[in-house]
Amino acid sequence: MKNSISLITLLVFCICCSAQHTIVDVSNKIDWTTNTYLKDTNNHFEDVLGTWKWEEGNSSFEIEFTKITNYNYEGINMAIDFILARYKYVKDGFLVADILNNIYDPLNFKATLVFDNPTEYIFIINDVVSDKTKKGQFKLSSNGLDTIATYSLRNLEGMYVNQSNIEFSLPTQLTLVKK
């Protein structure tokens, strides 16, 4: 009997804890704040997840997108599904940057996609060589055979403090093919 009461108490506690967040789909543009779980309920992210690649001669850019689910931000009682990325860039046969083997770290990410609509995302990427960040559009389409994405990056708005003198080393405009 004592074990049954303990088990019931544990189940009620688990149900209450999991019901604290209001689930909102990532496509919903409402203001979401604390006690919200911004969730990819309609699987919008599926179209971008995986490996994308651009190649031209001895140059290539490869980026791998993965979905992080139910990431909890401490202190504000909010959870979110989002996309992080790792990349590798080779220019004229020389390795410029390679973070494909890095661990996905939500607190120290180098690239992310933010959902805008099913075919467009906001793309934010940090160049690990110059430690500069740019953002722009990541647009999905098809050429009849392959799923492709084009992106175009620009400088972030605002003031920069302690910026390096090294130029941004990643391509700022490309068309990628999903592999």
Side-chain angles (χ1 to χ4, degrees), residues 59-75:
S59 297
S60 65
F61 182 75
E62 182 177 346
I63 190 160
E64 177 188 280
F65 294 107
T66 194
K67 180 177 173 178
I68 306 297
T69 59
N70 200 14
Y71 181 77
N72 287 285
Y73 286 96
E74 292 184 30

Side-chain angles (χ1 to χ4, degrees), residues 2-177:
K2 187 175 182 180
N3 286 340
S4 297
I5 292 172
S6 297
L7 181 60
I8 291 170
T9 304
L10 179 63
L11 286 172
V12 169
F13 177 76
C14 290
I15 291 169
C16 289
C17 288
S18 66
Q20 289 181 353
H21 288 117
T22 301
I23 296 175
V24 176
D25 186 69
V26 294
S27 64
N28 193 332
K29 302 291 183 185
I30 67 165
D31 291 331
W32 43 271
T33 57
T34 58
N35 299 323
T36 300
Y37 177 13
L38 192 60
K39 182 177 174 69
D40 182 26
T41 57
N42 293 320
N43 295 318
H44 294 295
F45 294 173
E46 292 304 312
D47 292 335
V48 296
L49 298 179
T51 301
W52 296 78
K53 194 165 188 179
W54 164 83
E55 292 179 292
E56 186 176 289
N58 290 331
S59 297
S60 65
F61 182 75
E62 182 177 346
I63 190 160
E64 177 188 280
F65 294 107
T66 194
K67 180 177 173 178
I68 306 297
T69 59
N70 200 14
Y71 181 77
N72 287 285
Y73 286 96
E74 292 184 30
I76 60 172
N77 195 20
M78 187 184 115
I80 187 170
D81 290 351
F82 60 100
I83 299 169
L84 291 183
R86 304 182 293 197
Y87 60 83
K88 178 180 180 180
Y89 179 45
V90 175
K91 184 176 182 179
D92 298 324
F94 295 98
L95 180 64
V96 176
D98 185 359
I99 60 166
L100 281 177
N101 294 320
N102 286 17
I103 296 171
Y104 286 108
D105 182 356
L107 297 177
N108 187 26
F109 64 88
K110 299 301 177 191
T112 188
L113 290 176
V114 178
F115 181 85
D116 193 18
N117 66 58
T119 60
E120 294 182 19
Y121 289 76
I122 298 166
F123 184 34
I124 303 169
I125 189 165
N126 175 264
D127 175 11
V128 295
V129 174
S130 68
D131 197 28
K132 292 181 180 174
T133 301
K134 292 189 182 246
K135 86 175 198 179
Q137 290 289 324
F138 188 93
K139 296 181 181 183
L140 299 174
S141 61
S142 175
N143 64 7
L145 299 173
D146 298 308
T147 302
I148 60 173
T150 56
Y151 77 79
S152 179
L153 300 173
R154 64 184 185 281
N155 290 330
L156 293 173
E157 298 172 2
M159 191 171 108
Y160 301 101
V161 179
N162 299 326
Q163 284 272 306
S164 74
N165 291 329
I166 301 170
E167 291 294 318
F168 193 82
S169 68
L170 301 175
T172 57
Q173 193 166 359
L174 281 181
T175 299
L176 304 162
V177 177

